[in-house]
């Protein structure tokens, strides 16, 4: 049975680097790749991709835009992985990234988590602690961290 690997992305161009890492270290037929993107619950209009009502678009335009961007990022990542020959699924969830990543990895019984790391200054790390470090502290599986540039 193929081993599940979780790839935690965001909607930035850095996600491409994480997909490249997955293609480098995982093998089609040996690994099922699961793409996860967690967005802040204030920007999660729906639990699953579906059309927005006119009222939602008018009342929550920023949230609708953010969720659409996240859904497109997941769909693009899954499509790229499938084109590379992987069995791949993806989901966008509303919630804190650390909690979402840890919960999904546990649910899938993943053997590996692939995620990014932003290069922050000491002050930046103090004000915005590392998500990857928090995940590493909370899981019992290897975490492959790809460096991404802070924009």
């Amino acid at each position: 049975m193929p081993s599940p690997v979780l790839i935690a992305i965001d909607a930035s161009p850095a996600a491409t680097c994480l997909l490249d890492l997955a293609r480098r270290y995982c093998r089609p037929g040996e690994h099922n790749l699961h793409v996860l993107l967690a967005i802040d619950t204030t920007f999660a209009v729906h639990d699953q991709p579906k059309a927005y009502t006119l009222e939602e678009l008018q009342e929550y335009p920023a949230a609708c835009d953010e969720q659409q961007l996240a859904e497109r990022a997941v769909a693009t990542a899954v499509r790229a992985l499938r084109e590379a020959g992987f069995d791949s699924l993806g989901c966008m969830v509303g919630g804190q990234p650390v909690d979402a990543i840890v919960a999904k990895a546990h649910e899938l019984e993943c053997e590996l988590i692939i995620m990014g790391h932003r290069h922050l200054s000491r002050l930046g790390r103090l004000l915005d602690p590392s998500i990857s470090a928090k995940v590493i502290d909370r899981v019992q599986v290897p975490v492959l961290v790809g460096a991404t540039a802070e924009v």
Side-chain angles (χ1 to χ4, degrees), residues 10 116-120 124-125 128-132 145-151:
D10 59 16
H117 169 74
R118 298 174 295 149
H119 294 284
L120 300 174
R125 283 192 301 273
D128 185 16
S130 169
I131 292 170
S132 58
V145 180
T148 59
E150 177 66 7
V151 179

Side-chain angles (χ1 to χ4, degrees), residues 24-149:
R24 187 176 312 141
Y25 291 102
C26 300
R27 300 287 174 255
E30 293 179 32
H31 298 100
N32 286 335
L33 304 183
H34 298 265
V35 177
L36 172 71
L37 192 152
I39 63 171
D40 188 299
T41 54
T42 58
F43 289 103
V45 181
H46 299 138
D47 291 339
Q48 298 186 19
K50 68 178 187 178
Y52 299 102
T53 66
L54 182 58
E55 181 180 311
E56 288 169 336
L57 289 168
Q58 290 173 342
E59 193 166 339
Y60 311 110
C64 292
D65 289 346
E66 186 74 15
Q67 185 163 345
Q68 288 174 333
L69 178 64
E71 291 168 355
R72 279 193 306 270
V74 170
T76 298
V78 168
R79 185 173 46 255
L81 293 170
R82 287 180 178 167
E83 287 171 359
F86 289 96
D87 288 332
S88 182
L89 298 172
C91 66
M92 189 253 0
V93 297
Q96 294 299 315
V98 174
D99 296 334
I101 294 166
V102 170
K104 185 57 88 170
H106 180 69
E107 173 191 326
L108 296 172
E109 298 180 3
C110 288
E111 77 166 30
L112 175 67
I113 299 170
I114 299 173
M115 60 187 305
H117 169 74
R118 298 174 295 149
H119 294 284
L120 300 174
S121 67
R122 287 184 187 187
L123 179 59
R125 283 192 301 273
L126 180 64
L127 298 174
D128 185 16
S130 169
I131 292 170
S132 58
K134 289 179 183 179
V135 169
I136 289 167
D137 288 341
R138 292 184 47 193
V139 297
Q140 301 298 315
V141 298
V143 179
L144 177 57
V145 180
T148 59

